[in-house]
Amino acid sequence: MATGATHSYFGHDEFAQYAPGMKTVEDARHLRDRILLAFEMAELATDPQERAEWLTFVVIGAGPTGVELVGQVAELAHTVLPQDYRSVNTTEARILLLEGAGAVLGPFDPKLQRYTQRRLEQMGVEIRLHTLAVDMDDESVTAEGPDGEEVIRARTRIWAAGVQASPLAAQLAGQVGVETDRAGRIPVNPDCTLAGHPEVFAIGDMVSLNNLPGVAQPAMQEGRYVGKVIKTRLAGDQQIEPFRYFDKGSMATIGHRSAVADAFGFRFTGFVGYVIWAFIHVAYLIGWGNRLGTLYTWARALWFSHNRGHRIITFEQAHEQALDHPRPPSGGGPATPDRPRAESSHLDTATHTDRSQPVGPGRRKPGR
């Protein structure tokens, strides 16, 4: 049985690369580290143009993934981080959402689309509809919209406009003699088997089946279905019903206590949508300990502290970036590329011997 991983593009200066999509906790941490690093490098930058580039974030694609990502970046810049830095004002961050279609959250109801766009704009997000990303390099994105092409200088670019199936799908397609679709997905039979190979199952976002989206719910239901098919075959029964997908609805978070949900014919926005989104996600956690712990963490962060406690940079390249951008010395000896001053950046402590040190407290404004 095969299930595929997807790939997305995001970059930071020389770190620009193709990297695995958010399939694991480490993938999510990797993306978070890169976003936090942009604010760190803006703090270290002395050139206004370079600082502006570090404070520009471009998310390409206004589906649920793009909306959730851009909302999180906007909250970081405008709510969570402003008091964590001395020389940079994170509220000046420019956050853009590019979408080739005419609305955000394309598959959703128009009411939810309008609410999402209005809420994101209130959070300071620039939304560019009918705009395609046609080129990209380490420091910019070229966007083509109704007014022509524009080069947007940005060190952080996150691709959320669709995914490419795992190369395994193309390899399997070549073996069984079928063609993959535009996204590189392999067609499968109604029982999730490959053509001519009933012993091989493929599920998830590497397969093309009934025009289902490459999201978690189809993959989870396909997995349960395949398990039942295998059990039925082992029992000697070859009469197997084809896979049928049960659509439980769609939802997306926008920001603090704000989400949209479309389920069972009902549409919800704002805080009610957020509660529904939270309930669904908590319900799928394993064990009551995890569920209660998650609810406690959310309640503490969203209602009591109004803050986020998980601002940690954990990868080695962050330290290399700090070495390449040392701050001018502020007394106590010169800083050099080989030995920057310890107080010039908490990237030193966050990426050296103790990687659990939070990014932020060491650079609090006086009196904080």
Side-chain angles (χ1 to χ4, degrees):
M1 183 172 66
T3 181
T6 59
H7 289 74
S8 59
Y9 181 92
F10 60 93
H12 277 281
D13 204 15
E14 64 265 32
F15 296 157
Q17 58 179 289
Y18 281 93
M22 287 191 291
K23 295 291 185 178
T24 67
V25 173
E26 286 304 313
D27 293 336
R29 288 178 60 190
H30 192 59
L31 178 55
R32 179 203 61 186
D33 291 345
R34 290 173 178 268
I35 293 172
L36 290 175
L37 177 63
F39 292 102
E40 293 291 309
M41 300 316 300
E43 172 78 354
L44 296 175
T46 57
D47 177 64
Q49 177 62 34
E50 181 186 357
R51 174 172 290 182
E53 292 177 9
W54 282 115
L55 287 177
T56 301
F57 301 82
V58 179
V59 177
I60 303 163
T65 300
V67 165
E68 292 184 356
L69 277 170
V70 80
Q72 289 295 309
V73 174
E75 282 199 337
L76 276 173
H78 298 147
T79 306
V80 179
L81 297 179
Q83 298 181 6
D84 284 7
Y85 296 94
R86 291 195 184 113
S87 61
V88 64
N89 182 2
T90 63
T91 63
E92 296 177 353
R94 186 185 181 198
I95 305 164
L96 296 95
L97 179 62
L98 309 184
E99 170 56 46
V104 300
L105 295 179
F108 284 61
D109 182 82
K111 172 188 174 183
L112 304 184
Q113 293 174 349
R114 291 191 296 270
Y115 173 83
T116 301
Q117 180 169 344
R118 183 171 65 253
R119 183 73 183 94
L120 287 175
E121 289 173 343
Q122 291 171 352
M123 296 169 65
V125 177
E126 296 181 38
I127 299 176
R128 305 280 189 88
L129 301 177
H130 302 290
T131 302
L132 299 173
V134 296
D135 196 10
M136 188 182 303
D137 60 28
D138 288 347
E139 298 181 354
S140 68
V141 175
T142 302
E144 184 176 353
D147 299 327
E149 286 192 355
E150 176 188 2
V151 177
I152 303 171
R153 304 288 299 179
R155 302 293 183 100
T156 308
R157 300 148 327 269
I158 306 173
W159 182 268
V163 295
Q164 188 72 20
S166 166
L168 175 61
Q171 296 175 16
L172 291 174
Q175 292 291 324
V176 300
V178 298
E179 294 290 331
T180 59
D181 65 8
R182 183 165 168 254
R185 301 179 299 178
I186 183 173
V188 294
N189 296 323
D191 61 354
C192 296
T193 60
L194 299 186
H197 291 270
E199 76 283 4
V200 180
F201 296 88
I203 64 173
D205 52 13
M206 69 175 289
V207 306
S208 174
L209 177 64
N210 300 332
N211 294 318
L212 294 176
V215 294
Q217 272 301 319
M220 294 167 63
Q221 294 184 33
E222 288 165 1
R224 287 193 291 268
Y225 169 81
V226 167
K228 292 178 181 178
V229 169
I230 295 174
K231 182 178 180 180
T232 302
R233 285 186 181 179
L234 292 176
D237 187 358
Q238 300 298 319
Q239 299 298 321
I240 300 171
E241 292 291 326
F243 172 75
R244 288 187 176 88
Y245 174 61
F246 176 64
D247 188 358
K248 297 183 179 181
S250 302
M251 58 188 67
T253 57
I254 304 170
H256 183 65
R257 307 186 197 179
S258 181
V260 293
D262 187 348
F264 307 109
F266 297 95
R267 300 173 184 88
F268 305 92
T269 62
F271 180 71
V272 175
Y274 187 84
V275 171
I276 294 173
W277 174 89
F279 175 80
I280 294 296
H281 282 73
V282 169
Y284 275 99
L285 295 178
I286 299 174
W288 281 104
N290 286 331
R291 293 168 186 160
L292 293 176
T294 299
L295 288 174
Y296 169 75
T297 300
W298 283 355
R300 183 182 63 184
L302 299 178
W303 277 274
F304 300 115
S305 66
H306 301 285
N307 208 329
R308 308 292 193 275
H310 307 289
R311 302 198 287 277
I312 305 172
I313 294 177
T314 58
F315 61 101
E316 291 295 337
Q317 292 94 326
H319 182 62
E320 296 174 7
Q321 280 275 29
L323 294 180
D324 291 338
H325 296 74
R327 265 192 185 177
S330 56
T336 67
D338 295 327
R339 184 179 177 132
R341 292 182 55 78
E343 63 266 32
S344 67
S345 167
H346 5 270
L347 295 179
D348 298 322
T349 58
T351 59
H352 252 331
T353 56
D354 183 3
R355 299 188 188 180
S356 65
Q357 296 298 318
V359 173
R363 194 172 290 140
R364 296 282 183 182
K365 291 181 178 179
R368 297 285 181 183

